[in-house]
């Protein structure tokens, strides 16, 4: 029997939208200069597991757990994902996705997610943040753990506890393998090209 | 067990989707104070019901008729041996209400089940501490996912208008 799926649900009235219109949902994160952003060289935009259809700046909503989404005027410059399967249950997969954005004023934002798919009683988890430097980038990656997908499932009464734990550990390790992240130079180059094009 | 703050309020007994946007009388318990009684409309709700999990949360945001805002956080239990509860807070602005939802720490809702700590062995205490730590992390993750769902839906609703 298939496990029941999480049924998180939200409903919003149009009145709330009207109340919030004009002030938006951005959390007012401090503005950062893009000048001090730096990444170690980890590859280039042509990495085989990376795709990014650069379509210019647009309103970008980056979902994150536990907080209001980041709402940015940004463009997607890099995106990649990895899929790991549970060795004992190939139908169970865990997908990790990383997306890199540049805002119109030159800041770099990242969105990371783990999606446990439909076969497990677990839900996707999301992280998003503006990253100023290598340390913040590392902190975001460090906080991004697949175990959080299964936090609510790791209950003693849950029938899939063992499988969840296996996927969290083995699948998570596979997903966490280094991706060919873009270099700082690649991001800046893309940003300037697109800025000039606009 | 929290018998003082039962999850049912006068209006809905756990928000139903049909209540969103309709004016109703509400009477919601609040921690450390008299119940919040107000007439108002429900602006948004989010729930994390999952059939096989032992509990789920529900978040409700209201606008009162005197132009204030109220937030209610409910916790429901699958077990009939546990009592559902609700906490509520009043705010003067939507921003304050939303910030409260963001800042709510679900770890405070984790209950320490019956255990005789004075007679427990160190190994038992260590095991209990690990279990509580896991429950705290689980509660925070669970609630954070629901908050993310709620704010994503608010943002999507704003985009659609």
């Amino acid at each position: 029997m298939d496990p029941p799926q999480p049924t998180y649900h939200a409903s919003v009235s149009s009145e709330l939208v009207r109340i919030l219109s004009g002030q938006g949902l951005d959390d007012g994160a401090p503005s950062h200069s893009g000048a001090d952003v730096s990444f170690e060289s980890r590859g280039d935009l042509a990495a085989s597991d990376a795709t990014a259809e650069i379509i210019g700046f647009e309103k970008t909503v980056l979902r994150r757990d536990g907080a209001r989404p980041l709402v940015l005027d940004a463009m997607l410059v890099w995106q990649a994902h990895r899929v790991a399967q549970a060795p004992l249950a190939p139908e169970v997969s865990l997908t990790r996705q990383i997306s890199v954005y540049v805002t119109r004023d030159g800041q770099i934002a990242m969105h990371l997610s783990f999606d446990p798919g439909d076969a497990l009683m677990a839900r996707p988890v999301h992280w998003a943040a503006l990253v100023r430097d290598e340390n913040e980038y590392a902190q975001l990656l460090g906080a991004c753990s697949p175990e959080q997908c299964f936090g609510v499932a790791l209950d003693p009464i849950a029938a899939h506890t063992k499988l969840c734990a296996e996927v969290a550990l083995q699948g998570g390790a596979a997903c966490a393998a280094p991706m060919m992240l873009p270099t700082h130079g690649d991001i800046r180059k893309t940003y300037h090209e697109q800025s000039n094009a606009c | 067990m929290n018998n003082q703050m039962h999850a049912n309020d006068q209006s809905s007994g756990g928000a139903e989707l049909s209540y969103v946007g309709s004016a109703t009388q509400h009477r919601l318990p609040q921690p450390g104070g008299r119940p919040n009684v107000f007439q108002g409309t429900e602006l948004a709700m989010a729930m994390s019901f999952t059939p096989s999990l032992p509990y789920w949360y529900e978040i409700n945001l209201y606008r009162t008729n005197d132009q204030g805002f109220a937030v209610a956080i409910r916790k429901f239990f699958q077990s009939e041996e546990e009592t559902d509860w609700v906490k509520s807070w009043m705010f003067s602005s939507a921003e304050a209400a939303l910030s409260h939802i963001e800042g709510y720490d679900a770890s405070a809702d984790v209950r320490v089940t019956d255990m005789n700590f004075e007679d427990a062995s160190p190994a038992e205490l260590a095991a209990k501490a690990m279990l509580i730590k896991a429950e705290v992390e689980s509660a925070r993750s669970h609630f954070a996912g629901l908050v993310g769902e709620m704010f994503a839906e608010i943002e999507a609703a704003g985009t659609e208008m």
Side-chain angles (χ1 to χ4, degrees), chain B residues 97-110:
Chain B
L98 295 176
S99 294
H100 183 80
I101 293 172
E102 278 184 307
Y104 183 80
D105 186 358
S107 69
D109 303 332
V110 174

Side-chain angles (χ1 to χ4, degrees), chain A residues 31-103:
Chain A
S31 178
H32 305 313
S33 165
D36 58 353
V37 174
S38 64
F39 286 92
E40 289 180 2
S41 177
R42 290 186 174 86
D44 55 45
L45 289 174
S48 60
D49 60 352
T51 59
E53 182 186 358
I54 298 175
I55 56 176
F57 294 104
E58 61 181 356
K59 180 184 178 184
T60 302
V61 180
L62 304 182
R63 179 173 173 169
R64 51 184 175 173
D65 285 356
R68 283 169 262 196
L70 280 178
V71 182
L72 307 169
D73 180 13
M75 65 177 169
L76 175 67
V77 296
W78 189 87
Q79 188 173 66
H81 71 274
R82 288 188 187 280
V83 180
Q85 290 183 315
L88 300 179
E91 75 278 10
V92 175
S93 64
L94 183 67
T95 302
R96 181 200 204 199
Q97 180 166 297
I98 299 178
S99 305
V100 179
Y101 300 82
V102 179
T103 67

Side-chain angles (χ1 to χ4, degrees), chain A residues 105-117:
Chain A
D105 58 356
Q107 301 176 78
I108 293 177
M110 298 187 70
H111 176 262
L112 303 94
S113 67
F114 276 107
D115 188 341

